[in-house]
Amino acid sequence: MLRLTNLTLPLHHADEALLAAIFKRLRVSPREVVRHQIVRRGNDARDKSNILLVYTVDVTLRNEAPVLARFRKDRDVQRTPDTHYRHVATAPADAPRPVVIGAGPCGLFAGLILAQMGFRPIILDRGKVVRERTKDTWGLWRKSVLNPESNVQFGEGGAGTFSDGKLYSRIKDPRHLDRKVLIEFVKAGAPPEILTEAHPHIGTFRLVTMVESMRETIEALGGEYRFEKRVDGIDVEADGSGERRVRGLHLHTGEYLEAEHVVLAIGHSARDTFRMLHAAGVHVEAKPFSIGVRIEHPQSWIDRARFGANAGHPVLGAAEYHISHHCSNGRTVYSFCMCPGGTVVAATSEEGGVATNGMSQYSRNERNANSGFVVAIDPARDFPGDPLAGLALQRHWEQRAFVAGGSNYRAPAQRLGDFMARRPSTTLGSVVPSYKPGVTPTDLAECLPDFAVEAMREALPVFGRQIPDYDHPDVVMTGVETRTSSPVRFTRGDDFQSLNTRGLFPAGEGAGYAGGILSAAVDGIKVAEAVAKSLCRAP
């Protein structure tokens, strides 16, 4: 089978045009093609007047050898790679049960892979099952009532459950583990289109049912979930040579769980767990992250800017954007986690703080587009020497935002025109904010570091030249966005174990090794494989 990439056709092409393009590109007759299958479809909208669809297609020919020889120097005509996933081990009968801390995308796939290999993992999560967690999350959005242990950040499914459900990333993935993730998602109820779309997404409502389905699969394979079990301590023992090894976990319920193989998939907001691990001597480093706001535009503006007269075409869907600018003060401002046709949501996990995030449903048909509009933070520049200082920085600005919003979980918001004019907003304009439980017009400069405000004011006109009306005065900015990624990294070695604590396998976003659902899930697979190998290795 051959893989043909970068095959372009007009947006409005007929169904039969794809097969005709394959014949022409490969210079073969129709009778030589046995079958073809679309692997991926994206679009090239750089020329709005001539938008192209870009296909990757697998083609089975009656005789591949002469075609391969003819195109031996062509990168767009290659043998189809083997994307089939193969387990690296099978659990011995006497294998101890590994423990996975966290039931987000990373923990979910670590648990799934371990269960499929027969290791019967125990999965701990401080939050609740996804249905109960959803009720608690809506409690904050609708009634301003926060449950610190069950919210956008904590509970089954992790932070990705209340997001756009994006399933693409820029990670290098030579083993095609992302394909394994997408296939398992489809088995769990995701639309099959995610296997072929260049930028697949799912949306919150579908993610809820998928997470439930995957839990049932893990339990059927011998895995065990234990919800509302926060890990408050880690038992580490040093041998005569000084090598440290994890021996067990202390739970907030007073229980003790013996464990010598622990996957640390705690997510990017488990600040109390970060501090506990640091106090226990687990190696941790400060990591870059970003701070800023959520910025909202009518989705129709973004569609028109990206697609011109083709805005609204069903194949194109809701338009996205990705932009960045390097500022004169040395900071980089960029869009983050853009949610077409979505809403801005309350994402705090601590009382007395406001943090925002973006969310979309599969349809992406809400009025506004929103994106993180954020400024990069460099630990070496902004808080050198303390690996946990980023946590304090996040908390400080979240608390400032809480007060500016009215100390009731309403978020501070500002018209872009007022932000640029350096005056507080007293009212908002034509762009209606989507954040629940509501916003309070104010001055966002009081809720962000000065360097971030300076950089954002420089970047907005630049982005306005790239995307018409991006810097329209009525655009709404809602603060603050602080949870772009983990502010720490629990550094691991080539064997995926902590640098100084054997048996502890840092994984996913919270450990500083992923950013988003897909990359976290892929990291979960890699760590599960490392755990399996360590459990199968002879003593």
Side-chain angles (χ1 to χ4, degrees):
M1 187 183 300
L2 303 184
R3 176 154 293 181
L4 178 58
T5 56
N6 291 318
L7 189 65
T8 59
L9 289 170
L11 173 62
H12 301 281
H13 72 77
D15 290 344
E16 60 270 19
L18 178 60
L19 196 53
I22 293 171
F23 302 153
K24 182 178 180 180
R25 181 70 180 82
L26 295 179
R27 304 202 296 272
V28 296
S29 66
R31 64 182 180 81
E32 292 180 75
V33 177
V34 177
R35 67 179 63 88
H36 74 283
Q37 179 179 0
I38 296 173
V39 176
R40 181 154 298 174
R41 183 185 69 181
N43 67 72
D44 181 352
R46 287 174 293 181
D47 181 354
K48 293 190 287 291
S49 65
N50 183 32
I51 295 177
L52 301 174
L53 297 182
V54 184
Y55 289 91
T56 297
V57 186
D58 281 345
V59 183
T60 302
L61 301 175
R62 297 189 186 282
N63 188 0
E64 294 177 356
V67 176
L68 275 174
R70 187 160 63 240
F71 291 97
R72 62 185 180 277
K73 295 182 179 180
D74 191 333
R75 291 186 176 183
D76 289 331
V77 182
Q78 300 287 327
R79 289 194 183 277
T80 298
D82 182 2
T83 60
H84 181 70
Y85 179 76
R86 296 171 179 82
H87 294 295
V88 301
T90 300
D94 59 347
R97 300 181 72 181
V99 175
V100 178
I101 307 176
C106 180
L108 179 62
F109 271 86
L112 177 66
I113 297 301
L114 286 167
Q116 289 176 344
M117 289 188 286
F119 286 98
R120 302 182 305 116
I122 298 171
I123 301 172
L124 306 176
D125 197 281
R126 66 191 295 166
K128 299 180 182 179
V129 295
V130 67
R131 295 281 173 178
E132 292 300 314
R133 175 196 177 199
T134 300
K135 293 177 183 177
D136 292 334
T137 300
W138 280 100
L140 174 61
W141 295 352
R142 292 175 173 173
K143 301 177 182 178
S144 297
V145 177
L146 172 68
N147 182 337
E149 297 295 331
S150 181
N151 47 62
V152 166
Q153 307 298 345
F154 300 142
E156 185 180 21
T161 304
F162 300 97
S163 71
D164 186 52
K166 296 179 183 67
L167 296 177
Y168 51 92
S169 74
R170 295 181 177 89
I171 61 173
K172 294 181 179 179
D173 187 22
R175 293 178 56 206
H176 305 283
L177 297 179
D178 59 344
R179 189 72 178 176
K180 169 68 170 174
V181 174
L182 297 180
I183 288 172
E184 292 295 345
F185 277 154
V186 170
K187 288 180 182 178
E193 290 81 5
I194 69 172
L195 296 175
T196 55
E197 289 301 310
H199 288 164
H201 73 284
I202 299 176
T204 289
F205 289 165
R206 289 177 182 247
L207 277 166
V208 168
T209 57
M210 289 163 51
V211 166
E212 291 178 319
S213 175
M214 294 180 74
R215 184 206 324 148
E216 292 172 359
T217 297
I218 291 171
E219 290 175 333
L221 292 170
E224 178 185 353
Y225 277 79
R226 300 182 188 180
F227 291 103
E228 300 182 70
K229 302 291 186 183
R230 187 181 68 240
V231 176
D232 276 358
I234 182 169
D235 188 12
V236 177
E237 180 182 287
D239 63 18
S241 64
E243 182 177 80
R244 292 159 45 91
R245 175 170 290 278
V246 62
R247 294 300 185 190
L249 304 171
H250 297 275
L251 309 184
H252 83 286
T253 55
E255 299 167 85
Y256 179 77
L257 179 63
E258 292 185 1
E260 296 188 358
H261 298 81
V262 177
V263 176
L264 189 67
I266 55 180
H268 61 40
S269 292
R271 295 168 177 168
D272 48 2
T273 309
F274 295 163
R275 292 191 179 279
M276 178 272 291
L277 292 166
H278 180 246
V282 177
H283 188 273
V284 60
E285 300 172 348
K287 185 185 74 62
F289 62 103
S290 299
I291 189 169
V293 298
R294 278 273 149 183
I295 189 166
E296 288 192 87
H297 304 79
Q299 181 63 46
S300 59
W301 295 6
I302 306 301
D303 291 344
R304 186 168 59 249
R306 287 277 285 116
F307 300 142
N310 291 298
H313 192 286
V315 172
L316 298 175
E320 303 178 54
Y321 63 81
H322 305 278
I323 45 182
S324 65
H325 173 64
H326 188 68
C327 297
S328 56
N329 67 358
R331 304 287 177 170
T332 298
V333 182
Y334 64 100
S335 60
F336 169 78
C337 187
M338 194 268 167
C339 296
T343 56
V344 180
V345 299
T348 187
S349 55
E350 294 183 345
E351 294 178 343
V354 163
T356 61
N357 195 11
M359 184 180 84
S360 297
Q361 299 303 339
Y362 181 71
S363 61
R364 289 179 165 176
N365 63 359
E366 299 290 338
R367 177 187 302 176
N368 288 350
N370 76 80
S371 173
F373 175 60
V374 296
V375 182
I377 289 175
D378 177 15
R381 178 177 183 177
D382 297 317
F383 46 87
D386 182 354
L388 301 186
L391 281 63
L393 187 150
Q394 289 176 323
R395 181 178 290 118
H396 170 77
W397 294 111
E398 290 171 9
Q399 291 173 347
R400 291 284 292 270
F402 181 77
V403 173
S407 299
N408 54 7
Y409 295 107
R410 292 173 68 90
Q414 191 171 16
R415 289 176 64 250
L416 186 150
D418 292 332
F419 178 78
M420 293 299 291
R422 293 172 167 79
R423 62 176 176 249
S425 287
T426 56
T427 186
L428 300 178
S430 60
V431 180
V432 179
S434 60
Y435 177 92
K436 302 296 181 186
V439 302
T440 300
T442 186
D443 184 0
L444 284 173
E446 300 298 320
C447 308
L448 294 164
D450 290 343
F451 68 78
V453 173
E454 176 187 357
M456 291 161 68
R457 284 180 174 146
E458 179 182 327
L460 281 167
V462 176
F463 292 168
R465 291 191 290 272
Q466 298 176 19
I467 300 176
D469 287 329
Y470 191 92
D471 59 345
H472 188 286
D474 276 357
V475 165
V476 175
M477 301 162 63
T478 304
V480 287
E481 172 90 37
T482 52
R483 312 286 181 97
T484 56
S485 67
S486 178
V488 299
R489 174 174 288 116
F490 289 92
T491 318
R492 64 194 187 195
D494 292 340
D495 61 359
F496 291 88
Q497 298 187 57
S498 164
L499 287 184
N500 71 341
T501 308
R502 305 295 297 169
L504 185 65
F505 294 78
E509 284 209 46
Y513 286 97
I517 295 172
L518 186 63
S519 62
V522 167
D523 201 57
I525 295 175
K526 293 177 180 178
V527 169
E529 292 176 341
V531 172
K533 290 176 181 177
S534 71
L535 283 165
C536 292
R537 188 176 296 122

